[in-house]
Structure formats: structure tokens, C-alpha cells
Amino acid sequence: MAGLTLHNVLLHAQSLTDSGRVPHAITFLQQHRKSFALDPNFNALLGTLLGAVHDYTSAAGCLELAWRGGAQRADVLLNLAVCLASAGKRDRAEKLLRDGIKQFPDHAIFRSELITVLRQAGRVRDAACESVAQWRANPADASLARRVCSELLMSGDVEPLIAVTRDMRQQVHIALEAQCNMMLQLLYSDAISREQLFEEHKRAALLLRRRVPSLPDAFTNSRDPDRKLRIAYCSQDFRNRSAGHFIEGIIASHDRERFEVYCYHHAISEDELTQRLKSRAHAWRDINGVDDYAVARLARADGIDIWIDLTGWTGAGRIGICAVRAAPVQATYMGYASTTGLDTINVRFVDAITDPPTDADAFATERLLRIAPCFLAYTPPHHLPAVAPGPALRDASKPITFGSFNTYQKITPTCLDHWCTVLRELPQSRMLIKNSHMQHAQCRDTLLAAFSQRGIGAARIELRPETPGKDAHLATYRDIDIALDTYPYHGTTTTIEALMMGVPVITRVGATHHARVGASLLQAINQPDWITTDAAQFAAAAKHLASDRAALQTLRNTLRSRVTASPLCDTRTLAAHMETHCRALWREWCQRI
């Protein structure tokens, strides 16, 4: 093919590309590179194809030649920036993307890629700020609004996310989506009152009900109060995740003579826990991607008597099914630590510690059904690592190491105040914090700065990213002596995991359900002395535990057996309590005219 013109070379290379033969197209272009080495269009095509096969360094070189040679098009600049970023040259990529935003303001892809580059560089807060700025310039862009929420979630910045989503509510077409994105973040915040929290949930429910009106209450279920009942559990977490370990034992323990258990699963991935639950359920329904109305009609066709939602307003929740009305009786349980605000949900399962009967009912739209002594029961993983002594127990010369493996968003200013009070009381002590956000440099810097502002130097704080695999995660408890709970949103799974690994947990209670779960868990193992009501008590409890290493050793040796023998692992009794409540609820419905 000697003597081909540039036009013919580019046409043939493009033809090879269009037929899916990209490597052949690259080889062909490279054979003719000497003839057209300075042509910008030739270099632009070759660079684009090299990027497609992930040879980013070579691709960037070609694209740089193309841009400087005169091919100053948006696609060339964008591909150059993307290849530079993929080759690890993110500073240069960032500069080019910002240039692209100025030179090609109508090409939103430059803004999107800039956010991606910033996040990949660990600058998650910068990525979030950039996304917010872009949305404020284009407030009607729903996809950009979703990106903002995603980036703010990634950054772990709770208060900015709440502020932005409140502004988003002014855009009618994204008001519900904005409100949904805000709900879980409200629970993390220490800057919102109980009354405000309740009002926000009612607002969310109102927006949902306007978008998703209920189906008619034309239920055909037999009104026999004593017949076998069909209970449906709906969750995305019928997997080896936190909620899965709380629901597994309940489903396995239901009385099959009196109840049929249906599971409605809205997740794509499955694992060994999913398979166990499938084998224990009377029927299994995969509803991922199925709209709320279709699921509600399926539930009605299945003859579900009591629908129990396990996710509430969490990010991937299916609370809209409850708004549509899937069953005559609807309940919410466990997966969301507050009221839903929905008047179509009849009851919420709690206990007397998480939701004291003195005042909690006034802040719930559902009727609160209290299960004694604790509303949760945990099924431990089948293969728990052996309990190992903590740092101060392995070596008497070592200081006490406190720790928290809770979600980054739970580490609020009030939480940090409590932790730092402890660390100041014990000036030789250290703290280990582990969560997924610790992989991001800006999150680490932000957290260390917050400790420094409270007089705690970085040398005393160790930050680790999330540990891959459940076994490795649990084994990490050997690196702490005492766990400090978060506030206001307590740990749940993390608290039980710590106890199962022999690590005591200090918590501080508040007024709301999510600020009282830790107290319920600790009371269930008869450790009221680890439950505190303010920063001074919190520090005193931690100091008391830290001062007695012999007692810490005893706790390491005995906590696991105490937990497994306590109500925290008594799934049979919990299931029986829930069945009693469900039967009573059903009888109430049967008596309605």
C-alpha cells in the first residue's frame, strides 16, 4: 500500500477501527508514521487508538503532537487529558481539563472528567467542591445533581451535602431525589435537632407520596386471624453484609408451621449468605430493576400478609414499595435508624432502650412495637478469627490503643470532642481509625487537622483504609485495646464485631434511635457501665477500663462467649417475639371493617 495519501491512510485506519480491529489499525498507522509524523490529524487518530488499548504514555505523546501541531479540537484535548491522568500525570491532566472548560464551555465532559481526575488523585473534597460549583451553574441538570450527591458522599462531608440537597429541593423535578439523598446524611449530622429530623422525614414521605400514589386497598387476603401467614422481607442486603448477619437468624428461626417467609431481593450480587437465605425462604423474588408498582402487584399476587422493609431511606432502599402498599400490614425494621415518615407503614420494630416509651412515639409516624430486651440479634460469620490480645496486652510497655472502625461520616465534631477528651485524659494513649475513606489523602488530612485543632498530634493517630475481606477486618481488632463509639450515629455491626473479638466498647447515648442503639447492645450483655451520657462520663469510662489491664485481659478472654450466650445472638427468641407481634397485627387487620 505504498504511496498512499494521508486521506487514504486515515480512511483505511478508521475502517479497521470501525470493524473492531483496533490493534490492526494501530499497526497500520505505525507503518506509515514516518511519512506523516508531523500531521496533527494522523497523530490525533493514532493517539486515540493507543489510548483505547491502554497504552496511555504513547497515546499522550501522539495527542500532544496533534494538539501542538494544530489539531486544537475538543476531542483531542480531552483524550490527551484522560490519557495523561491514566498514565499518572494528574497535575498536567487537571490543568488541561481546566483549559478545556474555558476553551470549550459547551462540552460538559471536561467538567465531568475533571471531577473524576480529582477523585482519582485522592482529592475527594476538591472533586465534591468542583461538582457543586458545576451544579450551581446548571441547577436544572438532574444528572449533574446526582453526580454532586455522589461526590459529596465520597468526600464524607455530611453538612455540605445536607446544605446542597436542601437547595436542590427547589428544583421540582429533582426534589424527591435530593430529599432521598439527604435522609441518611441527616442521621450522621450532630447539627440537627430531633424535631428537625422528624420534620425532614415527614417532608420526604410527602414528596414520595406525591410521586408514588398508593394502589387501591383491594386486598383479597383471607381474614382468618389464625391461619398461616405470609411474611415478606425486602432488602438489598441478603448478602454477607452487616444487615445480612442480623436477618439471617430470624429467617432461619421462623416457625414454618405458622409462617411462610418470602424474600424480595433488590441487588445484583449474591454470595454464600444469599444462598443460605434462599434455601430457608419459602419463596425468593429478585426485584432489582423492577419498579415499585410492579413489585407491589407481585406481592399482592403472592398473597403477602405482612411486608417488612429492611432498608428505609438508605441509598438503594425500596421504600417506594411501601408507599404503593404491597400488603395489608406494612412494617419497617432494622436497616434504617429512624422513622420513615410514611403513613402507609403501620409499625416499626424497636426496643425500650432505643426508643423509650416516655417520648419516642411522638417522633415516629409508625406505631413503635418494642421487643424486649433488644430488637436485634446477630448471627456471627461461620469462620470467626481467634481472639487475640490487644497491643497493651501483648506488651505491657505499650500504651493503650483506642480504636474505631465506623463509617467516616459518623465521625462528627461532637464525636471528635469526646474522643479527644479521652486522649487528653490518657496522654500516652493512641488511636487507630479504619474505614474506607482513609484511602483518600484529603480525608486523612481533614481528620488529622481536626485532631490537631483539639490538641492531639498526628503521631498519636493511625489511619488505615478499609481491610479487604471479613476475616482480615475482624483480625484487625487485635490492634486496638478499647473501642470508642461514634456519636450521634452509633455503630451497630462494628460494636458487635468488637465485642465478638474481645474488645470493650464505650458509647455515649443521645435522644434518638440512632444515638441509642449502642446502649441497647451493651445493656443486652449486661455492661451498663460502658454506657455514658456526656463527654466527661465517656472519658471516665474509658480511663477506668484503660487503668486495669488485668480486667482488659479477662474481657478479651470472655466477651465472645458472653455475647454468643446473650440476647444479642438469640435469634430464636427474637423471631418468636416478632411472630407474636405479627400475629397481633394480623388480628387487628382482620377485625377492621
Side-chain angles (χ1 to χ4, degrees), residues 11-30:
L11 276 179
H12 185 65
Q14 190 62 57
S15 176
L16 290 170
T17 301
D18 293 343
S19 64
R21 301 165 66 191
V22 173
H24 291 81
I26 292 172
T27 301
F28 174 73
L29 288 173
Q30 288 174 332

Side-chain angles (χ1 to χ4, degrees), residues 226-231 233 247-263 275-284 571-572 575-576 579 583:
D226 299 312
R227 65 173 174 81
K228 181 184 284 190
L229 297 180
R230 287 185 177 175
I231 297 178
Y233 291 100
I247 197 61
E248 179 181 10
I250 295 173
I251 290 175
S253 299
H254 272 306
D255 183 347
R256 283 344 189 231
E257 296 299 315
R258 298 166 55 230
F259 296 89
E260 289 180 355
V261 176
Y262 281 60
C263 291
Q275 299 309 313
R276 291 199 300 272
L277 289 174
K278 280 186 174 182
S279 69
R280 289 164 177 163
H282 178 81
W284 187 273
T571 56
R572 288 185 180 277
E579 289 175 352
R583 180 62 64 181

Side-chain angles (χ1 to χ4, degrees), residues 313-371:
W313 289 104
T314 53
R318 296 298 303 272
I319 197 169
I321 299 168
C322 292
V324 174
R325 290 200 66 86
V329 178
Q330 297 192 133
T332 180
Y333 172 59
M334 182 182 68
Y336 187 70
S338 185
T339 183
T340 62
L342 271 175
D343 58 3
T344 55
I345 295 180
N346 307 94
V347 299
R348 183 164 149 247
F349 294 106
V350 295
D351 64 47
I353 295 177
T354 61
D355 295 79
T358 51
D359 63 349
D361 299 81
F363 297 95
T365 53
E366 313 87 355
R367 191 199 329 172
L368 299 181
L369 293 183
R370 295 173 174 86
I371 299 174

Side-chain angles (χ1 to χ4, degrees), residues 18 22 30 43 71 123 175 295 340 354 374 382 404 450 455 493 508 529 532 543 559 584:
D18 293 343
V22 173
Q30 288 174 332
N43 284 313
R123 295 165 58 189
V295 175
T340 62
T354 61
C374 180
H382 286 191
S404 171
T493 305
R508 179 251 162 111
D529 49 324
T532 67
K543 190 174 182 179
L559 264 179

Side-chain angles (χ1 to χ4, degrees), residues 126-305:
D126 289 346
C129 289
E130 184 66 36
S131 69
V132 170
Q134 291 180 23
W135 174 75
R136 292 201 182 281
N138 302 275
D141 189 329
S143 63
L144 191 52
R146 294 186 195 99
R147 183 73 183 266
V148 169
C149 294
S150 174
E151 296 300 333
L152 282 167
L153 284 170
M154 183 73 70
S155 75
D157 289 337
V158 171
E159 301 305 332
L161 176 55
I162 292 172
V164 169
T165 49
R166 280 177 171 154
D167 291 343
M168 286 181 181
R169 291 189 313 211
Q170 306 308 312
Q171 302 294 322
V172 175
H173 66 295
I174 59 171
L176 175 59
E177 191 169 1
Q179 187 76 20
C180 289
N181 283 322
M182 182 171 64
M183 301 314 295
L184 183 59
Q185 308 310 308
L186 291 171
L187 302 187
Y188 293 139
S189 175
D190 61 354
I192 185 168
S193 71
R194 192 181 191 184
E195 291 75 16
Q196 290 172 318
L197 190 64
F198 186 42
E199 290 304 314
E200 290 288 3
H201 281 84
K202 290 192 291 185
R203 179 196 293 266
L206 179 61
L207 289 170
L208 179 61
R209 296 277 274 137
R210 287 174 178 168
R211 177 79 63 85
V212 191
S214 297
L215 291 170
D217 284 354
F219 295 106
T220 59
N221 306 58
S222 167
R223 288 180 179 265
D224 180 351
D226 299 312
R227 65 173 174 81
K228 181 184 284 190
L229 297 180
R230 287 185 177 175
I231 297 178
Y233 291 100
C234 180
S235 177
Q236 62 165 333
D237 289 327
F238 294 136
R239 297 175 283 161
N240 190 18
R241 300 181 63 175
S242 297
H245 291 287
F246 287 102
I247 197 61
E248 179 181 10
I250 295 173
I251 290 175
S253 299
H254 272 306
D255 183 347
R256 283 344 189 231
E257 296 299 315
R258 298 166 55 230
F259 296 89
E260 289 180 355
V261 176
Y262 281 60
C263 291
Y264 290 72
H265 191 213
H266 53 96
I268 298 173
S269 61
E270 297 185 356
D271 55 28
E272 71 283 355
L273 195 151
T274 313
Q275 299 309 313
R276 291 199 300 272
L277 289 174
K278 280 186 174 182
S279 69
R280 289 164 177 163
H282 178 81
W284 187 273
R285 304 286 185 250
D286 289 308
I287 60 169
N288 190 61
V290 183
D291 72 65
D292 294 337
Y293 284 100
V295 175
R297 290 188 179 97
L298 174 61
R300 293 183 179 207
D302 282 340
I304 300 303
D305 300 306

Side-chain angles (χ1 to χ4, degrees), residues 63 72 79 174 254 338 376 402 405 475 482 523-524 550 561:
L63 291 163
Q72 297 193 349
N79 287 338
I174 59 171
H254 272 306
S338 185
L376 294 171
F402 295 101
F405 298 166
I482 300 167
Q523 189 64 56
S561 60

